[in-house]
Amino acid sequence: MRFVKTLLVLSLPLAAAACATPTERLAQMQPTGTPFQQALATDYRGLTQFEENEYDWRDANHFARKAEAAAQGQNVLPDEPSQRTLSYNWVSGIGQTEQSIQEVSQAHQRLIQALDGNARDRSPQVAARAQTQFDCWLEQLEEGHQLDHIAACRQGFEEAMQQLVEQPAPAPAPQPRVAAPPATDWVVYFEFDEAVLTDAARQIINQAAQAIRQHPGTPAVSVVGHTDRAGSAQYNMGLSQRRANAVRDALVQAGIPANSISVVGRGESEPLVETPDGVRQPQNRRAAIRVEVQQQ
């Protein structure tokens, strides 16, 4: 009987630890290792928080484990498409066709080539964002519930990959000098006729705010709101301004000085995807965040 009581007592701390959420486990995380591994740990922690807010405990724990491994200086690779079940979702009616599966597989190959091609050392923040946004895209494809989440993660991945492609290898300089980081862009998406930020949009805004705070010098941030071509041009101009204002307010809440942010609405005049008038196009319902860093 004494032995049984001892086991019960010893099991109490383990039970308490098991009750901790993935985010709580990461609360005291102090990333070490290379700049890439530190950025990876931070971005995976953001994905953990997002999935936890969605009550997706399986994926929250999955991303938390990757955050912990990266924070300890381990070599953490992007998820393999074969790790996820990509098939037709009969509830949402969203189908992962053979073409889309091939597309994400090719994206995985592009990512691996970029990471193995010195991207981790050359652009650690951007490379980490490319990897975590790919994992986010893959996870959202498997769920197949929310088109805006799938589009946001895919857009984040493509933008990061574009930056990795556009950034040239550093040329030898006669004297060491510190150059200002290149301009960085993020895009958030909105529901139809809405200026309310989705959870996916807030995640991207928080990533942008984190990157802005890490920039040296004085950041100049612009937020440009857009709409699709459903509705009148006059109404869409006001809607695009409200979307830009919503993003600005979220950036301010995340610690970016309000006086460093400019906002403008472009209405339906600059669509990302060209459509006839009156067409609802999700990719055109967006706000773009651009950061220019000025050397002091």
Side-chain angles (χ1 to χ4, degrees):
M1 182 64 69
R2 184 182 303 110
F3 176 70
V4 174
K5 288 183 178 179
T6 301
L7 284 178
L8 290 174
V9 171
L10 290 175
S11 68
L12 289 177
L14 296 176
C19 293
T21 67
T23 298
E24 289 170 345
R25 295 207 319 265
L26 300 178
Q28 303 302 320
M29 183 177 71
Q30 297 294 330
T32 59
T34 66
F36 171 75
Q37 289 166 334
Q38 295 180 43
L40 207 58
T42 299
D43 286 356
Y44 274 127
R45 177 163 53 187
L47 287 182
T48 300
Q49 179 69 69
F50 175 76
E51 294 302 328
E52 189 173 302
N53 291 343
E54 296 284 304
Y55 301 103
D56 183 351
W57 300 109
R58 186 196 72 164
D59 287 308
N61 278 293
H62 172 66
F63 291 134
R65 287 191 293 270
K66 299 190 80 169
E68 291 167 332
Q72 295 167 7
Q74 297 181 31
N75 183 26
V76 178
L77 297 176
D79 288 342
E80 295 275 353
S82 59
Q83 293 177 246
R84 298 284 183 177
T85 302
L86 305 180
S87 59
Y88 192 85
N89 189 303
W90 294 101
V91 177
S92 64
I94 299 174
Q96 307 309 330
T97 64
E98 183 177 341
Q99 180 179 355
S100 65
I101 294 173
Q102 183 180 9
E103 181 182 59
V104 78
S105 298
Q106 292 173 345
H108 180 263
Q109 294 174 3
R110 289 163 48 210
L111 175 60
I112 293 298
Q113 290 174 355
L115 294 176
D116 290 346
N118 201 35
R120 294 181 178 95
D121 297 328
R122 179 165 51 88
S123 305
Q125 297 282 347
V126 180
R129 188 164 69 253
Q131 175 167 329
T132 53
Q133 287 297 293
F134 175 82
D135 281 6
C136 176
W137 177 20
L138 199 58
E139 185 269 334
Q140 291 295 331
L141 276 175
E142 180 183 52
E143 287 185 353
H145 294 310
Q146 296 162 301
L147 284 172
D148 61 332
H149 290 190
I150 295 172
C153 295
R154 178 183 178 181
Q155 182 74 16
F157 166 75
E158 293 293 353
E159 289 180 350
M161 288 297 297
Q162 186 65 29
Q163 290 183 54
L164 291 179
V165 170
E166 289 179 349
Q167 290 178 353
Q175 295 181 355
R177 68 185 186 88
V178 178
T184 307
D185 298 89
W186 292 266
V187 177
V188 300
Y189 294 90
F190 293 85
E191 299 290 345
F192 176 71
D193 197 25
E194 290 285 351
V196 178
L197 297 172
T198 64
D199 291 336
R202 290 188 180 279
Q203 178 185 348
I204 293 173
I205 291 170
N206 287 336
Q207 291 176 0
Q210 178 185 344
I212 294 168
R213 291 195 299 268
Q214 293 174 352
H215 273 300
T218 303
V221 184
S222 65
V223 181
V224 182
H226 303 272
T227 71
D228 58 24
R229 302 197 66 191
S232 69
Q234 181 178 3
Y235 178 83
N236 284 337
M237 184 60 72
L239 178 59
S240 68
Q241 185 68 45
R242 293 195 297 274
R243 287 172 174 170
N245 290 339
V247 173
R248 176 201 57 198
D249 293 345
L251 286 170
V252 172
Q253 291 176 2
I256 306 304
N259 60 6
S260 69
I261 307 172
S262 63
V263 296
V264 65
R266 297 283 169 78
E268 60 182 57
S269 63
E270 298 179 2
L272 190 64
V273 179
E274 291 289 345
T275 68
D277 190 33
V279 172
R280 300 183 181 185
Q281 169 51 250
Q283 293 186 59
N284 291 338
R285 302 194 293 263
R286 70 198 195 279
I289 305 169
R290 182 172 180 82
V291 180
E292 298 283 355
V293 178
Q294 303 170 353
Q295 286 187 304
Q296 293 180 330

